[in-house]
Amino acid sequence: MTTMTIHEIARLTGVSIATVSRVINGTGRVGAATREKVQACIAEHSFSLNRHASSLRSARSHLLLALVPDLGNPFYAEVIRGINAAARRQGYNVLVCDTGAQVDNERRFFEMLKNHQADGVICLDPETTQHALGQDAALLPWVACCEFDRKAAVPYVGIDNADAAHAAVAYLIGRGYRRIALINGDPRFLYARERERGYRQALTDAGLHAPAGGVVIAGDVAMEDGRLAAARLLALTERPDAILAASDMLAIGAMLAIREVGLRIPTDIAVMGFDNIPFACATQPGLSTVAQPSVRLGECAAKLLLDKINHPDQPSSGVLLEHELIVRGST
Amino acid sequence: MTTMTIHEIARLTGVSIATVSRVINGTGRVGAATREKVQACIAEHSFSLNRHASSLRSARSHLLLALVPDLGNPFYAEVIRGINAAARRQGYNVLVCDTGAQVDNERRFFEMLKNHQADGVICLDPETTQHALGQDAALLPWVACCEFDRKAAVPYVGIDNADAAHAAVAYLIGRGYRRIALINGDPRFLYARERERGYRQALTDAGLHAPAGGVVIAGDVAMEDGRLAAARLLALTERPDAILAASDMLAIGAMLAIREVGLRIPTDIAVMGFDNIPFACATQPGLSTVAQPSVRLGECAAKLLLDKINHPDQPSSGVLLEHELIVRGST
DNA sequence: TTGAAAGCGCTAACAT
DNA sequence: ATGTTAGCGCTTTCAA
């Protein structure tokens, strides 16, 4: 097939290329008859614009990028669902990039933004990784989701992680647990740092303290990393009677380790997670967790980004959404 | 910042834009001194090409699209990991699109391919959805992964789903189960149709047959859909003694339903899944399943696609990889 | 080894 | 309401 262009459409319908462009983009006035004729011709040849030419001229790609540290965590899938919903309403396509939380991967997609290959980025990568890009992010349509730096001039949406962790620990203490351990994520993640802060604060507020060796950092974010971290906790001379994990993935891994050594949940040791992924209700017992409003986080991030794209000069705003304690059998 | 262009770089270094282009793309001969001077200038201003202009001219975007029906299923995350690995080795970025298995979404990304916004597509959407695009897919760099039509002139990689299901059922029969039910996915998916075929064949081969009402189609692909489907099976007058589910997601949902009515797994009823997602070992008991070589499926799909991109005229080939039976406690 | 110049297909002034 | 035209920033012959 010879590549169709608007020239070709113009020739076939006997109008000018400008008119064809107007019909396609819905810009400017076009007579009803002309419009129909052109549209018919476009449909007949199933013609579609060369987006490169269009974007080169207009500097608009109608593409949004979502940068995700780990597609294997279903939590992110839900956030993306929210992003998709909000973006499509405004005619944008969303492309997801699995960066593995690596700066150099992130940088590659950052280039796409600078190149105008994408109109904006929603980044869920570790706060410190985003930081590594310097202040360029503040100048471009870049929105931080879940992981953010309040002090950076970048719009963000997330939850109050310290507060959420505080609530989780306070709840555990209320249930009578005293030796509460923490399986944390990589401190490059804001959520890891903040949740640890909330965890420690809640203990302090109750006149308790973290058990010796009771705060471990998981090697990575997968289930298996939670299992290994929990194994270390279970080997402590003074074994914890409860474990808070920084994500459900880690928590579910921890449950595995606990079962392996023949302990019962929650009788011998309680487990609590973060995120409320669908699998949290499929473990036995069900996993108590701190739910994040995942879909709404995504929707909100997309809205902030589209605002930023449409009004680049307005000051960037930050939004915090509410978390919710979900109690199941594991505590 | 005033938008940098190769003109600007050319002006600053006192060479022509052609030379700058050559340096950037590594095409053509350039003197060592000139090259260094240009590269230094590019680095200093952290200049990067306008990809639209570049792609408009060269009709190459160095972008690959992965179309996925459900990002919430961790199985796809692993396939994508494989795709990423193979693609990056050849300098391609991969963008993931969550289509929700909807034709119109798929079509939108198909447009991106026609527009040259992407150089190729790896599609994991239902075979019938891909089919709906007509034979255009055969003419463009399009590869089917997991879901394919042997008769279409589209390269593909997947497993022998009928064979895999046959093996699963034969194994269940060998364990002594007789009333084996099937929770199937939407028949738009090849895997659903093929797995049902293998399931029925294995029963026939053993002189058995599917129990009355023992084949149900889940409303969708999520865990919850498996739970609902299983509930229907458990309400049958002649209750199955084993359930094969077309995916681990559905199987885990089924386990939920079984537990809800107070039955034991596998004593009262066995459960077997498909895919071997990480959560399959986190259920209690662990979920027996038919593993797909997810990462390798992705790698292979990416290789096929890059082959197709680099040699468009070569006949398309199909690849089948091996499945593997994983036995855990649920059977 | 380097440069000049012709577009790639489209949008957006500006004309009419 | 419609057409003409000047580029958007780059790649790639073709000449030098």
Side-chain angles (χ1 to χ4, degrees):
Chain A
M1 63 185 178
T2 163
T3 28
M4 269 286 173
T5 68
I6 57 171
H7 281 99
E8 192 63 7
I9 301 289
R11 196 180 59 75
L12 289 168
T13 52
V15 300
S16 74
I17 57 165
T19 300
V20 176
S21 177
R22 287 187 191 106
V23 170
I24 292 172
N25 295 294
T27 62
R29 266 132 293 279
V30 181
T34 316
R35 157 169 289 112
E36 271 178 39
K37 198 170 49 177
V38 172
Q39 281 172 334
C41 185
I42 288 174
E44 184 189 343
H45 300 271
S46 68
F47 163 76
S48 70
L49 274 184
N50 181 320
R51 285 283 161 197
H52 289 307
S54 169
S55 299
L56 175 56
R57 214 29 246 267
S58 65
R60 270 247 189 290
S61 63
H62 291 278
L63 247 38
L64 262 33
L65 255 37
L67 269 41
V68 175
D70 174 29
L71 268 186
N73 187 338
F75 168 70
Y76 293 115
E78 294 180 7
V79 177
I80 288 163
R81 206 161 294 149
I83 294 174
N84 268 331
R88 287 184 183 170
R89 261 180 249 131
Q90 304 215 28
Y92 281 82
N93 278 339
V94 176
L95 302 175
V96 181
C97 321
D98 191 352
T99 65
Q102 316 249 292
V103 190
D104 46 338
N105 286 337
E106 194 175 83
R107 199 182 303 276
R108 282 218 314 279
F109 295 110
F110 187 61
E111 289 297 312
M112 289 187 60
L113 184 58
K114 288 212 288 189
N115 295 335
H116 302 289
Q117 283 193 99
D119 290 345
V121 166
I122 295 170
C123 187
L124 292 96
D125 274 339
E127 182 267 310
T128 45
T129 307
Q130 298 187 48
H131 213 84
L133 295 179
Q135 57 172 12
D136 284 353
L139 303 171
L140 294 166
W142 183 281
V143 167
C145 181
C146 298
E147 288 288 309
F148 52 87
D149 177 359
R150 288 166 197 259
K151 283 165 290 180
V154 172
Y156 66 82
V157 56
I159 64 167
D160 186 329
N161 285 290
D163 193 42
H166 190 288
V169 173
Y171 157 78
L172 288 172
I173 293 171
R175 297 280 295 183
Y177 300 105
R178 287 296 173 269
R179 294 188 307 284
I180 303 172
L182 174 68
I183 296 180
N184 209 358
D186 191 311
R188 291 186 302 148
F189 285 96
L190 169 85
Y191 76 75
R193 303 194 301 277
E194 286 290 286
R195 288 173 192 176
E196 177 163 346
R197 195 161 66 79
Y199 157 85
R200 292 195 185 273
Q201 186 63 52
L203 290 177
T204 303
D205 289 354
L208 298 171
H209 54 83
V215 175
V216 296
I217 296 175
D220 204 343
V221 294
M223 237 174 65
E224 177 63 11
D225 303 295
R227 198 178 66 80
L228 295 171
R232 285 165 56 194
L233 290 175
L234 297 174
L236 292 176
T237 47
E238 208 181 357
R239 206 180 62 210
D241 60 4
I243 295 178
L244 175 64
S247 73
D248 286 349
M249 296 288 283
L250 294 176
I252 293 173
M255 291 176 83
L256 243 42
I258 293 168
R259 195 180 305 148
E260 273 166 20
V261 297
L263 293 174
R264 289 158 307 168
I265 304 170
T267 326
D268 297 317
I269 186 163
V271 178
M272 181 134 197
F274 248 99
D275 295 345
N276 195 30
I277 61 175
F279 292 98
C281 65
T283 55
Q284 202 163 21
L287 177 64
S288 294
T289 190
V290 182
Q292 298 199 56
S294 47
V295 178
R296 280 175 49 226
L297 282 169
E299 286 177 339
C300 186
K303 272 183 209 142
L304 286 176
L305 181 56
L306 293 168
D307 279 355
K308 180 94 178 179
I309 289 172
N310 296 322
H311 314 285
D313 306 319
Q314 283 181 19
S316 352
S317 53
V319 178
L320 289 186
L321 300 181
E322 294 300 314
H323 59 262
E324 184 188 358
L325 222 64
I326 310 278
V327 176
R328 299 200 177 90
S330 70
T331 53
Chain B
M1 63 185 176
T2 165
T3 28
M4 267 286 172
T5 68
I6 57 171
H7 280 99
E8 192 65 5
I9 300 289
R11 196 179 59 74
L12 290 169
T13 52
V15 301
S16 75
I17 58 165
T19 299
V20 176
S21 176
R22 287 188 190 106
V23 170
I24 292 171
N25 295 294
T27 63
R29 269 133 291 278
V30 181
T34 317
R35 157 169 289 112
E36 271 178 38
K37 196 169 52 177
V38 171
Q39 281 172 334
C41 185
I42 288 174
E44 183 190 346
H45 296 89
S46 69
F47 163 76
S48 71
L49 274 182
N50 180 320
R51 283 285 161 196
H52 289 306
S54 168
S55 300
L56 175 57
R57 234 358 265 264
S58 65
R60 270 250 191 290
S61 63
H62 290 279
L63 247 40
L64 263 32
L65 255 36
L67 271 41
V68 174
D70 173 29
L71 267 187
N73 188 338
F75 168 71
Y76 293 116
E78 293 179 8
V79 177
I80 288 164
R81 207 160 294 150
I83 294 175
N84 268 332
R88 288 184 183 172
R89 260 179 251 132
Q90 304 216 27
Y92 281 83
N93 277 341
V94 177
L95 303 175
V96 181
C97 321
D98 190 353
T99 65
Q102 316 250 293
V103 189
D104 46 339
N105 286 337
E106 193 175 83
R107 199 182 303 277
R108 282 218 314 279
F109 295 110
F110 187 61
E111 290 296 313
M112 287 187 61
L113 184 57
K114 288 212 289 188
N115 296 334
H116 302 289
Q117 283 194 96
D119 290 345
V121 166
I122 294 170
C123 187
L124 292 97
D125 275 340
E127 183 267 308
T128 44
T129 307
Q130 298 187 49
H131 212 84
L133 296 179
Q135 58 173 12
D136 284 353
L139 302 171
L140 294 166
W142 183 281
V143 166
C145 182
C146 299
E147 288 288 310
F148 52 88
D149 177 0
R150 287 165 198 262
K151 283 164 291 180
V154 172
Y156 66 83
V157 57
I159 65 167
D160 186 329
N161 285 290
D163 194 42
H166 190 288
V169 173
Y171 156 79
L172 287 171
I173 294 170
R175 297 280 294 183
Y177 300 105
R178 287 297 174 269
R179 296 187 307 284
I180 303 173
L182 174 68
I183 296 180
N184 209 358
D186 191 311
R188 292 186 302 148
F189 285 96
L190 169 84
Y191 76 74
R193 304 194 301 277
E194 287 291 284
R195 288 173 192 176
E196 176 162 347
R197 195 162 65 80
Y199 157 85
R200 292 194 186 275
Q201 186 62 51
L203 290 177
T204 304
D205 289 354
L208 299 171
H209 53 83
V215 175
V216 297
I217 296 174
D220 203 344
V221 294
M223 236 174 63
E224 177 63 11
D225 303 295
R227 197 177 67 81
L228 294 171
R232 286 165 56 195
L233 290 175
L234 297 175
L236 293 176
T237 47
E238 208 180 356
R239 206 180 63 209
D241 60 3
I243 296 178
L244 175 64
S247 73
D248 286 348
M249 296 288 285
L250 294 175
I252 293 173
M255 291 176 83
L256 243 43
I258 293 168
R259 194 180 307 149
E260 272 166 20
V261 298
L263 293 174
R264 288 157 308 168
I265 303 169
T267 325
D268 298 317
I269 186 164
V271 178
M272 180 134 197
F274 248 99
D275 296 344
N276 196 29
I277 61 175
F279 292 98
C281 65
T283 56
Q284 202 164 19
L287 177 64
S288 294
T289 189
V290 183
Q292 298 200 56
S294 46
V295 176
R296 280 177 48 225
L297 282 167
E299 286 177 340
C300 185
K303 271 182 211 142
L304 286 175
L305 181 55
L306 292 168
D307 279 355
K308 180 94 178 179
I309 289 172
N310 296 323
H311 314 285
D313 307 319
Q314 284 181 20
S316 351
S317 53
V319 178
L320 289 186
L321 300 182
E322 294 301 313
H323 58 262
E324 185 189 356
L325 222 64
I326 310 278
V327 175
R328 298 200 177 90
S330 71
T331 53

